[in-house]
Amino acid sequence: MNGDFDLQLNEVEKIFTPRPKTSQSNTSTVRQTTNTFDVDDLLRDLDIPKVSTQLKTTYAPVIFSCQDVYYESHKGGGFFSQSKFCNVLKAEMLNIYTVELTITKRLWTKHQDCVRIIQAYGDQNECLHISCEYSPIGILVSYFPEDQSNKFLNLCVTDITIEKIIKEKFISRDINLTTSSDLTTTNQSFFAQDILKLENQLRSRPILIILEQRCIRLFGIIDLVKEVEKQIEDIQIKYASNMVQLNLKPNQINYLMDIHCDELKALEANYKDTKIIEHLRNAKFLAPTYLQNTIEKQIINLATLCTPIDFEIQEESFRPIAQNECSNLINIGRQYKCHIEIQENVINYTCKILKAISQDHVSDALTAAAIKIHQDDLAEQKVDLVVICSTSMYLRDDILKKAGQSVKQEYIEAAKSSPTEPFETNSGNLKCRKLLFLPWEINRTNNYTFYQSIRNFVKKAVQHAIKTHHTSIAFPSIGCGQINVDKTIIANEMLVEAQKQLLTGNVLLQIIFVILPQQIDVFNAFQSKLDNLQTGNIAIKDAEISYRLSTLKLTIISSSITKQEECKKALNNHIQKSIAVREYLQQTALKIWTQPTINKFYKFCFNQHVVLDMNIQIGYLKLFGSEQSVIEADNEYHKEQAQQSEQARLAVIARDVIWAYKINDNNWEKYSSELNIRIEDEYSSKRSTVSE
């Protein structure tokens, strides 16, 4: 197209319907006359309310779209009905007069919908003629530059003006959400649903809203963005979860957590963004503002209680098992929708183990000569077995030297095969029959473990002697030499354990403790302790046991008086069915019970949580505790009664008789005490064999 394009535009203008005269058009005319352009004036004009007219005529849109009204009666008007002419005119205008401005470096420019919002703003304002397109590098804004034409300045604009419009008329906002909100999950909360509803309402309006997991991004005209921002804030306030303080007492809280935990979980499931159980221990819950009153009313309704019922379990037989029964009592309460609170009063009941009246063969031997203290050389003892502490180098080497080379060689070979286990050797030149080499495994972690290591030394030696059918054994006083342990401790632990093994084994075994002649203080300590044992003054820890007895006070909490009464009745029924008492009078057979049997029965009852009350002198016995445990203790009692009666009969038969078998012409081996009694019984009954 040739010629002055301004003139051609002038001709085009003549064929358009003139714009109605308004304050806006007058302002534009002034700008053309003075040939000046003020951006602030333009921005102010853009904000002036538009005067609606029946017919709107613009310049650039006519040229680009050819959709506005024109009149063919005007000179040359027919050209605008031809698409060829319009296309050529459009191309010429773009080549000569339009310039593109690229808006970049803004987060919102990455979204194509921004083009629609900016273009809509331009379309609504007659003084702003722009065309917007989306590009990967930013938003492209096409416009008529002011420096390309000295006429029709109301069509033109500058890049500075566009930048200022973008800066002052548009705004972007990022609204951060709480961590509990998530607009991307499929299981959406009520908050998310309201936000999505708002987004749907805004789709037809010139505003960009982008929903992310923890953020909402807005872009658009300042007033509209602020309006939407306020709407979102209102939604946030509505659904914001806040901590609510409940007016609940501790027993109400415990009742809710115990009895209505399922209902509280259901509330949490029904009302999103709500946490009740997690905070209820502190009389609080977390919920959105609009739900708080509803949830609080339901919690208070569940926690409405009637007056609690208190009662104390008086049954003596229930005390040994009370502590273990607490969980059962609580579960019974739950069956009746009652919460059970338990106060436990614990006492330690010490039960003294009674001394046996019966003086059986073991007791007689023990008090007469079963345990002796000698001041002598260990190597000179005429016994079946001499115990050597193999970890005592001085004692071991002295005995081996006196026993002879053959014994020393036998010891070396045996020690290689079992260095930590007890083993026997021949006695060689010594007067005893055998030597037992036994290590003392000292443990000084604390006093208890050290004392126990002394007892273990005696225990292993005595049990070995009983197992190998020896009738006499001699011990050294360990720890009183180089180690220099308190002599009273050594005497107490060795003698008490020796007595214990004799009573437990129920055998005839002579035990001799040999003290060197120069160790007078050690001898006196051992002799003093032995005197106490032989007169029945055994250590307290071996003569009593301690029970843990509990008295329970129950509080029944419920919202129903009927449920409380039903619960109390069920608790009493359970208590009565859980306990048992066995009481026996005139049990004269108790007088023949031996001390090991008495100790064993006390221990059995203790392990079964059965309290034993016994008086041997008058023949009284009482057992109480749990029903099943009392039944087992009762069976054990009758079993022991039968055994003790039989043993007493056999003991009388074999009291002064010892049976042995011939090993060779010079040696005889004694039978064990148990087998000795059975042989004598069979012999007295004139039976020729001993049954298995």
Side-chain angles (χ1 to χ4, degrees):
M1 183 178 294
N2 299 320
D4 191 320
F5 204 81
D6 283 341
L7 293 176
Q8 296 175 35
L9 287 175
N10 189 35
E11 292 298 324
V12 172
E13 183 190 28
K14 293 178 180 179
I15 67 174
F16 293 141
T17 303
R19 178 182 301 181
K21 297 297 182 178
T22 65
S23 60
Q24 179 177 324
S25 61
N26 291 338
T27 305
S28 299
T29 303
V30 172
R31 284 203 301 270
Q32 292 178 26
T33 304
T34 61
N35 199 25
T36 62
F37 189 85
D38 188 280
V39 174
D40 292 331
D41 290 341
L42 174 60
L43 294 175
R44 186 166 52 254
D45 289 344
L46 295 177
D47 291 333
I48 297 175
K50 308 300 180 297
V51 179
S52 60
T53 59
Q54 204 168 25
L55 182 64
K56 177 183 177 183
T57 304
T58 59
Y59 298 101
V62 172
I63 299 174
F64 285 90
S65 64
C66 301
Q67 292 178 355
D68 280 357
V69 178
Y70 60 88
Y71 298 95
E72 293 186 6
S73 60
H74 290 271
K75 180 180 180 180
F79 283 107
F80 289 96
S81 63
Q82 300 179 13
S83 60
K84 177 180 178 181
F85 173 80
C86 291
N87 290 338
V88 173
L89 180 61
K90 182 192 300 183
E92 192 69 20
M93 292 283 287
L94 288 173
N95 288 334
I96 299 176
Y97 280 94
T98 62
V99 175
E100 289 183 346
L101 171 67
T102 304
I103 302 174
T104 60
K105 297 182 180 179
R106 291 176 172 87
L107 184 61
W108 47 266
T109 60
K110 297 179 181 179
H111 301 279
Q112 297 187 27
D113 218 24
C114 290
V115 173
R116 172 183 65 83
I117 296 168
I118 298 174
Q119 187 64 58
Y121 180 81
D123 293 346
Q124 291 174 5
N125 293 274
E126 296 180 356
C127 297
L128 184 62
H129 304 283
I130 57 175
S131 176
C132 300
E133 296 180 59
Y134 175 77
S135 168
I137 64 173
I139 296 177
L140 304 180
V141 181
S142 300
Y143 64 95
F144 292 100
E146 197 175 64
D147 58 356
Q148 297 292 326
S149 174
N150 52 15
K151 297 181 179 180
F152 310 108
L153 293 180
N154 57 340
L155 291 176
C156 301
V157 71
T158 66
D159 58 344
I160 296 175
T161 302
I162 295 175
E163 287 282 5
K164 191 168 185 179
I165 290 172
I166 295 297
K167 181 178 180 181
E168 298 186 6
K169 295 297 180 182
F170 295 88
I171 192 174
S172 65
R173 282 284 187 271
D174 288 347
I175 303 174
N176 294 320
L177 306 178
T178 62
T179 55
S180 61
S181 303
D182 189 347
L183 301 178
T184 62
T185 57
T186 55
N187 186 18
Q188 295 166 342
S189 63
F190 292 113
F191 170 79
Q193 292 176 18
D194 277 13
I195 293 295
L196 293 174
K197 182 179 179 181
L198 176 63
E199 180 200 28
N200 187 59
Q201 295 172 351
L202 296 173
R203 286 179 180 175
S204 60
R205 303 188 67 181
I207 186 171
L208 172 67
I209 178 169
I210 303 168
L211 304 182
E212 297 180 358
Q213 185 174 9
R214 297 285 185 267
C215 181
I216 300 175
R217 303 187 187 278
L218 303 176
F219 173 76
I221 301 298
I222 292 177
D223 292 342
L224 183 55
V225 168
K226 290 183 176 181
E227 176 188 339
V228 174
E229 187 177 17
K230 179 63 169 58
Q231 290 177 295
I232 294 174
E233 288 177 357
D234 291 341
I235 295 174
Q236 283 183 306
I237 293 173
K238 177 181 178 181
Y239 293 104
S241 293
N242 299 313
M243 201 69 73
V244 180
Q245 183 70 47
L246 292 165
N247 185 21
L248 294 176
K249 296 179 180 179
N251 64 339
Q252 290 178 296
I253 295 174
N254 294 333
Y255 171 76
L256 288 172
M257 297 295 290
D258 185 23
I259 305 303
H260 291 298
C261 189
D262 291 339
E263 288 88 340
L264 297 176
K265 289 179 180 178
L267 284 177
E268 289 183 340
N270 293 336
Y271 298 115
K272 301 294 183 181
D273 302 322
T274 298
K275 292 183 179 180
I276 301 174
I277 297 176
E278 180 180 342
H279 304 287
L280 190 57
R281 286 292 181 195
N282 298 319
K284 297 178 181 179
F285 72 92
L286 186 70
T289 305
Y290 78 105
L291 291 174
Q292 290 175 358
N293 289 336
T294 301
I295 295 175
E296 183 175 7
K297 288 179 181 179
Q298 295 188 50
I299 293 176
I300 295 300
N301 184 55
L302 291 174
T304 302
L305 305 176
C306 52
T307 304
I309 295 179
D310 296 327
F311 78 96
E312 186 174 321
I313 302 176
Q314 300 290 341
E315 285 76 1
E316 180 186 41
S317 303
F318 192 74
R319 293 176 185 176
I321 63 171
Q323 188 177 39
N324 296 332
E325 282 291 318
C326 288
S327 59
N328 292 332
L329 299 177
I330 291 172
N331 288 332
I332 291 173
R334 288 170 180 161
Q335 295 174 15
Y336 293 88
K337 292 295 182 180
C338 294
H339 171 65
I340 307 297
E341 291 188 348
I342 301 175
Q343 292 182 355
E344 182 181 7
N345 181 28
V346 180
I347 61 170
N348 291 318
Y349 170 68
T350 300
C351 178
K352 292 185 178 181
I353 298 177
L354 297 180
K355 295 179 182 179
I357 295 178
S358 173
Q359 300 297 319
D360 62 356
H361 62 286
V362 173
S363 298
D364 290 338
L366 177 62
T367 56
I371 299 178
K372 290 184 177 182
I373 313 298
H374 287 179
Q375 272 188 303
D376 202 351
D377 187 349
L378 188 63
E380 299 296 325
Q381 301 306 303
K382 296 179 182 181
V383 293
D384 288 349
L385 189 66
V386 169
V387 180
I388 310 299
C389 180
S390 59
T391 52
S392 174
M393 182 177 62
Y394 298 101
L395 175 63
R396 181 195 64 203
D397 292 348
D398 181 62
I399 293 294
L400 289 175
K401 181 179 179 181
K402 293 177 181 179
Q405 186 60 35
S406 61
V407 176
K408 183 177 181 180
Q409 188 60 38
E410 185 181 355
Y411 165 79
I412 293 174
E413 293 177 0
K416 289 180 180 178
S417 60
S418 57
T420 60
E421 295 297 325
F423 58 86
E424 283 188 8
T425 68
N426 291 316
S427 59
N429 301 328
L430 303 180
K431 297 178 181 180
C432 62
R433 291 182 56 209
K434 295 286 185 179
L435 295 175
L436 176 64
F437 289 90
L438 176 65
W440 177 20
E441 300 172 356
I442 303 175
N443 186 343
R444 290 201 168 185
T445 304
N446 51 55
N447 288 339
Y448 174 80
T449 57
F450 177 64
Y451 299 162
Q452 192 61 44
S453 69
I454 300 172
R455 289 191 171 212
N456 288 340
F457 180 83
V458 176
K459 177 181 177 181
K460 289 180 180 180
V462 173
Q463 289 182 351
H464 177 85
I466 295 172
K467 183 178 179 182
T468 52
H469 308 301
H470 293 299
T471 59
S472 58
I473 182 173
F475 282 94
S477 57
I478 60 173
C480 295
Q482 295 295 324
I483 299 179
N484 195 28
V485 181
D486 187 344
K487 53 188 176 297
T488 57
I489 293 175
I490 296 295
N492 181 77
E493 300 305 322
M494 295 190 78
L495 289 171
V496 168
E497 187 62 29
Q499 183 197 43
K500 180 179 179 181
Q501 292 302 317
L502 285 175
L503 292 173
T504 303
N506 197 21
V507 295
L508 285 170
L509 176 67
Q510 187 177 63
I511 300 177
I512 300 173
F513 290 91
V514 182
I515 313 298
L516 292 174
Q518 63 270 27
Q519 294 179 315
I520 299 175
D521 56 343
V522 176
F523 175 81
N524 291 335
F526 270 78
Q527 191 62 55
S528 175
K529 183 62 182 178
L530 179 60
D531 292 342
N532 289 334
L533 293 178
Q534 290 179 342
T535 56
N537 297 325
I538 60 177
I540 288 295
K541 62 181 179 181
D542 296 325
E544 59 187 27
I545 55 178
S546 180
Y547 288 90
R548 179 185 173 92
L549 304 181
S550 299
T551 301
L552 302 183
K553 181 179 180 182
L554 307 184
T555 301
I556 305 175
I557 301 172
S558 179
S559 58
S560 167
I561 297 177
T562 302
K563 292 293 184 184
Q564 283 180 313
E565 295 296 338
E566 292 175 351
C567 179
K568 182 178 180 180
K569 183 178 179 181
L571 289 171
N572 280 320
N573 289 338
H574 173 77
I575 292 167
Q576 296 303 322
K577 292 179 180 179
S578 299
I579 59 177
V581 180
R582 296 288 188 274
E583 198 168 12
Y584 299 98
L585 302 174
Q586 299 179 351
Q587 299 295 300
T588 57
L590 288 175
K591 294 181 180 181
I592 64 173
W593 277 32
T594 63
Q595 194 63 52
T597 302
I598 294 174
N599 295 347
K600 178 183 175 183
F601 188 60
Y602 268 100
K603 185 176 181 181
F604 180 89
C605 292
F606 177 77
N607 292 335
Q608 295 295 322
H609 301 287
V610 173
V611 178
L612 171 61
D613 184 9
M614 185 165 59
N615 188 322
I616 297 176
Q617 296 287 351
I618 64 175
Y620 174 77
L621 179 74
K622 180 180 179 181
L623 304 170
F624 62 87
S626 69
E627 182 180 30
Q628 185 60 37
S629 296
V630 169
I631 291 174
E632 293 177 4
D634 187 59
N635 292 336
E636 183 69 14
Y637 168 68
H638 288 95
K639 176 183 173 183
E640 289 294 344
Q641 282 282 58
Q643 289 181 353
Q644 287 301 303
S645 297
E646 178 64 12
Q647 287 181 7
R649 184 185 69 82
L650 295 175
V652 171
I653 293 174
R655 175 176 295 175
D656 300 317
V657 178
I658 295 178
W659 286 85
Y661 59 92
K662 188 175 182 179
I663 299 176
N664 50 48
D665 291 340
N666 299 320
N667 294 302
W668 288 75
E669 185 74 27
K670 299 174 184 177
Y671 288 102
S672 66
S673 61
E674 180 182 356
L675 190 55
N676 188 81
I677 292 173
R678 291 175 59 189
I679 293 173
E680 178 62 20
D681 181 50
E682 298 296 327
Y683 177 78
S684 301
S685 302
K686 298 182 179 182
R687 290 188 288 268
S688 58
T689 60
V690 178
S691 59
E692 293 292 336

